[in-house]
């Protein structure tokens, strides 16, 4: 276009005409010949086609100079507005030198489209009362072709009731009307099916069709009709309400609203009859809606009409006669005149719960009524003296809400008719709770084992009681019944949650001090007055192995070695020493066994693992060393086991031994008075008695001298060899070791041995001191003090 503006004289217009829908490759024109172009020169020049459409329909062949079709052309698509003429414009641009040719290509129409109706099915509603000659518009067809190829005429399929008329508008468009030629009858033919055909004028001829459905609309021209004019029915009295009597059937040949029938009573039907029977207006079903009583009416007469719903409704009528048959039709009745629906469970026997009255509308045997309680209950019916048909419902047995909280008392009345009729009435009686049940524990005695060294506040047991009462009568409070043990209240040792009964320990228990507790726990409800019960609780403290054995014989200061002297001439099997250990744990944990931990010569000594006796296994030889070191371990039976050790250093001597004929060991024994609860008194008595003994021994030693034996002078290291000594199987041992062993052995038996001189000569007295004096306190400090004091006394006495 720019070059066209520069060289307007170079532009020229060439026109050609072709038919639409030509095949691809068809030659439209020879542009080289039409435009006077040299084919040889075109080979070296660039030729371009500019077509003013969205598709490329044409192309140019440079070799032949022909314009040919590359895409089918549809005139109806290119010119949708159907102008009288249709042109396709394009420019041929040739360069070197530039030349532009304007070409217009006319497209002529062919009959390639058939007539088409916008709707292929047309439905018309025509009243059966329509008169011949009435017209009904039909939709026309459309044909995109032009000229003679467009629609030429319309045709209608054969029909005795309809025809068509064609009218042409000012623009040439044809319109079709459907004309009624004969009256319609819906009951004869409800719908007419026609075919409308549109035909064009092309060659070959093309056509399109549409289905025309004419629906004949009904007119209310038929009244409803019953299959009978009079209906006769027999029914028994007291027929249940809702029972179907009969169903009326009326028919109407019309359709739609004209065929819908409504049933109703006419004015000739009495209101009393209408109160007894119901008529369904839609279905014509007659049902019982009231009581049918033979004594009231022997028969009923109903006049019924059926009316359609047309614009001008039509109707039909019939009559229904119901004959009533007499039966025992009146049920006995119960009337509750007064009732107590809630009563306390402790209501006295004989109390009146309700007043009831019976009745029956029948007479004779049909009116005689009996009343009873449906099932066995703690209630009876008693006829009232005021009225023969009145009864009293009375409590006959004690009531218990915890067993039965509510009673459904079903009263049944029966008449004497044939068949008998009966009725029932239910009286509900709810029992109010009374605090008549004390709390109950699942067990009467609880044994609870508690391991010693427990943590304070530990849960021991949950002692929950149960109370079958309700509300505040069921709310329980738990308390420990106070009891003192050794001036200690139970509430200081144990605590119980007052709400849930959980028992806790308030302190750490020690089996060696407290072995068991026995007390009572009370559960009290919140009723008025409150009820309670208690349970015995036995707390057993279970021992743990928490105490190591304590070696009490041979005695030695803490950390020191026990030194003993024995003659080398000691026989085989002689008792050298005896280890005694004590354990304050329980019997199982305090079972002590002894064994050598270290021994200088394992072939020389034996140790009894149960009683701790150390004996010689053979006589000493000259090769045996003079000093023997024995380490004995005392081990308890706990888990894990605890132990204690003692080291004994034995020295052998060659000392000659001679018997003292003028000295005698006389053991004096006294029974022990023991009360471990009087520790303070024992301590004071022990100190006083020790002071007294010291003074007495000092006085005796000052006033009297012992007579020494001529055979040998008395010596601290001299021993008395006596086979029948108080210690069985004892051999020669030092005086100190002998007296210590005797002292500790007798102490284990509850006695205290003290060596004292005999007034007549140089004989010795062995005194037994009661343990109750305080000198036999089992504590380590008291035992140690007592043993040191006695040792000093005996040493001074021997000197």
């Amino acid at each position: 276009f720019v070059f066209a503006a520069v060289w307007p004289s170079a532009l020229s217009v060439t026109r050609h005409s072709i038919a639409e829908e030509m095949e691809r490759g068809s030659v439209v024109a020879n542009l080289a010949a039409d435009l006077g172009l040299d084919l040889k020169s075109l080979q070296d020049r660039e030729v371009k086609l500019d077509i003013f459409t969205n598709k490329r329909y044409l192309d140019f062949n440079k070799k032949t100079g022909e314009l040919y079709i590359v895409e089918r052309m549809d005139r109806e698509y290119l010119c949708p507005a159907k102008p009288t003429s249709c042109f396709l414009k394009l420019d041929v641009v040739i360069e070197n030198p530039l030349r532009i040719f304007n070409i217009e290509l006319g497209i002529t129409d062919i009959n390639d489209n058939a007539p088409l109706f916008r709707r292929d099915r047309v439905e018309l509603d025509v009243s059966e009362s329509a008169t011949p000659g009435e017209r009904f518009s039909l939709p026309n067809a459309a044909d995109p072709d032009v000229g003679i190829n467009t629609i030429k005429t319309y045709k209608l399929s054969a029909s005795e009731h309809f025809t068509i008329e064609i009218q042409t508008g000012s623009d040439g468009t044809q319109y079709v009307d459907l004309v009624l030629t004969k009256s319609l009858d819906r009951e004869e033919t409800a719908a007419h099916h026609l075919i409308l055909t549109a035909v064009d004028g092309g060659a070959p001829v093309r056509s399109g069709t549409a289905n025309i459905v004419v629906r004949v609309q009904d007119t209310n021209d038929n009244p409803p009709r019953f299959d009978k004019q009079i209906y006769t029915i027999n029914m028994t009295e007291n027929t249940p309400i809702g029972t179907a009597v009969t169903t009326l059937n009326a028919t109407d040949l019309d359709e739609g609203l004209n065929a819908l029938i409504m049933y109703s009573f006419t004015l000739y039907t009495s209101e009393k009859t209408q109160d007894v029977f119901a008529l369904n207006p839609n279905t014509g079903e007659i049902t019982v809606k009231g009581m049918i009583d033979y004594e009231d009416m022997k028969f009923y007469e109903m006049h019924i009409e059926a009316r359609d719903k047309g614009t001008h409704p039509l109707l039909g009528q019939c009559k229904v006669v119901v004959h009533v048959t007499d039966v025992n039709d009146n049920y006995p009745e119960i009337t509750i005149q007064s009732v107590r629906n809630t009563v306390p469970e402790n209501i006295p026997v004989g109390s009146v719960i309700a007043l009831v009255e019976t009745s029956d509308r029948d007479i004779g045997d049909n009116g005689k009524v009996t009343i009873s309680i449906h099932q066995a209950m703690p209630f009876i019916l008693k006829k009232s003296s005021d009225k023969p048909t009145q009864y009293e419902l009375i409590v006959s047995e004690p009531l218990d809400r915890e067993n039965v909280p509510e009673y459904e008392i079903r009263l049944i009345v029966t008449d004497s008719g044939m068949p008998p009729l009966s009725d029932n009435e239910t009286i509900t009686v709810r029992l109010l709770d009374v605090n008549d049940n004390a709390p109950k524990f699942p067990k009467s005695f609880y044994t609870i084992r508690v391991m010693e060294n427990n943590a304070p506040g530990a849960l021991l047991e949950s002692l929950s009681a149960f109370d079958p009462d309700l509300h505040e009568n069921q709310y329980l409070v738990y308390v420990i019944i106070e009891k003192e043990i050794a001036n200690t209240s139970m509430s200081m040792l144990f605590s119980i949650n007052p709400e849930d009964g959980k028992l806790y320990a308030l302190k750490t228990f020690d089996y060696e001090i407290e072995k068991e507790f026995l007390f009572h726990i009370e559960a009290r409800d919140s009723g008025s007055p409150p009820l309670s019960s208690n349970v015995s609780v036995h707390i057993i403290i279970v021992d743990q192995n928490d105490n190591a054995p304590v070696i009490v014989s041979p005695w030695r200061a803490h950390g020191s070695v026990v030194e003993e002297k024995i003659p080398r001439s000691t026989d085989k099997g002689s008792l050298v020493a005896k280890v005694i250990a004590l354990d304050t744990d329980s019997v199982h944990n305090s079972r002590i066994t002894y064994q050598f931990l270290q021994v200088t010569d394992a072939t020389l000594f034996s140790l009894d693992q149960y009683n701790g006796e150390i004996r010689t296994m053979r006589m000493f030889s000259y090769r045996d060393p003079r000093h023997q070191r024995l380490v004995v371990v005392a081990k308890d039976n706990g888990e894990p086991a605890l132990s204690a050790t003692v080291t004994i250093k034995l020295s052998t001597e060659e000392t000659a031994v001679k018997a003292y004929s003028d000295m005698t060991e006389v053991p004096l024994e006294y029974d022990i008075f023991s009360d471990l609860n009087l520790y303070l008194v024992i301590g004071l008595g022990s100190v006083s008695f020790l002071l007294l003994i010291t003074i007495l021994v000092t006085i005796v030693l000052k006033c009297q001298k012992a007579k020494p034996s001529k055979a040998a002078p008395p010596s601290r290291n001299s021993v008395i060899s006596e086979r029948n000594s108080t210690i069985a199987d004892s051999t020669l041992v030092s005086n100190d070791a002998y007296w210590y062993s005797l002292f500790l052995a007798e102490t284990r038996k509850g006695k205290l041995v003290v060596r004292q001189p005999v007034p007549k000569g140089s004989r010795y007295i062995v005194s037994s001191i009661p343990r109750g004096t305080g000198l036999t306190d089992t504590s380590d400090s008291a035992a140690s003090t007592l043993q040191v004091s006695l040792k000093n006394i005996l040493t001074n006495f021997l000197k």
Side-chain angles (χ1 to χ4, degrees), residues 166-182:
I166 302 174
Q167 296 181 6
T168 303
S170 58
D171 58 351
T173 303
Q174 293 181 343
Y175 300 96
V176 185
D177 289 336
L178 184 66
V179 181
L180 180 64
T181 59
K182 184 180 178 180

Side-chain angles (χ1 to χ4, degrees), residues 599-675:
V599 60
T600 302
D601 189 348
T603 63
L604 187 57
F605 300 101
S606 66
L607 173 63
D608 191 306
Q609 64 174 343
Y610 298 110
N611 59 22
E613 293 180 350
I614 302 174
R615 296 180 181 272
T616 56
M617 296 175 60
R618 59 179 175 81
M619 294 189 65
F620 289 92
S621 66
Y622 68 94
R623 292 189 182 90
D624 294 326
R626 289 190 58 192
H627 300 287
Q628 300 286 334
R629 186 173 182 273
L630 308 177
V631 179
V632 179
V633 59
K635 185 183 298 183
D636 61 22
N637 196 41
E639 195 60 44
L642 303 177
S643 61
T645 60
V646 61
T647 301
I648 303 175
K649 185 176 180 182
L650 295 178
S651 301
T652 57
E653 293 183 345
E654 301 294 342
T655 307
V657 179
K658 289 187 178 182
Y660 289 88
S661 60
D662 55 352
M663 295 183 64
T664 304
E665 307 280 344
V666 183
L668 300 179
E669 299 184 358
Y670 297 92
D671 292 337
I672 296 177
F673 171 74
S674 176
D675 188 355

Side-chain angles (χ1 to χ4, degrees), residues 375-418:
Q375 59 185 3
M377 288 186 176
F379 303 95
I380 58 173
L381 287 167
K382 181 180 178 182
K383 186 175 289 189
S384 176
S385 58
D386 299 336
K387 208 172 184 180
T389 59
Q390 191 177 68
Y391 295 85
E392 296 176 347
L393 183 62
I394 299 174
V395 179
S396 61
E397 299 175 12
L399 306 180
D400 188 359
R401 187 206 62 80
E402 287 70 34
N403 290 331
V404 182
E406 183 177 279
Y407 290 94
E408 297 285 340
I409 307 171
R410 185 181 177 190
L411 304 179
I412 299 177
V413 289
T414 307
D415 63 18
S416 301
M418 290 301 295

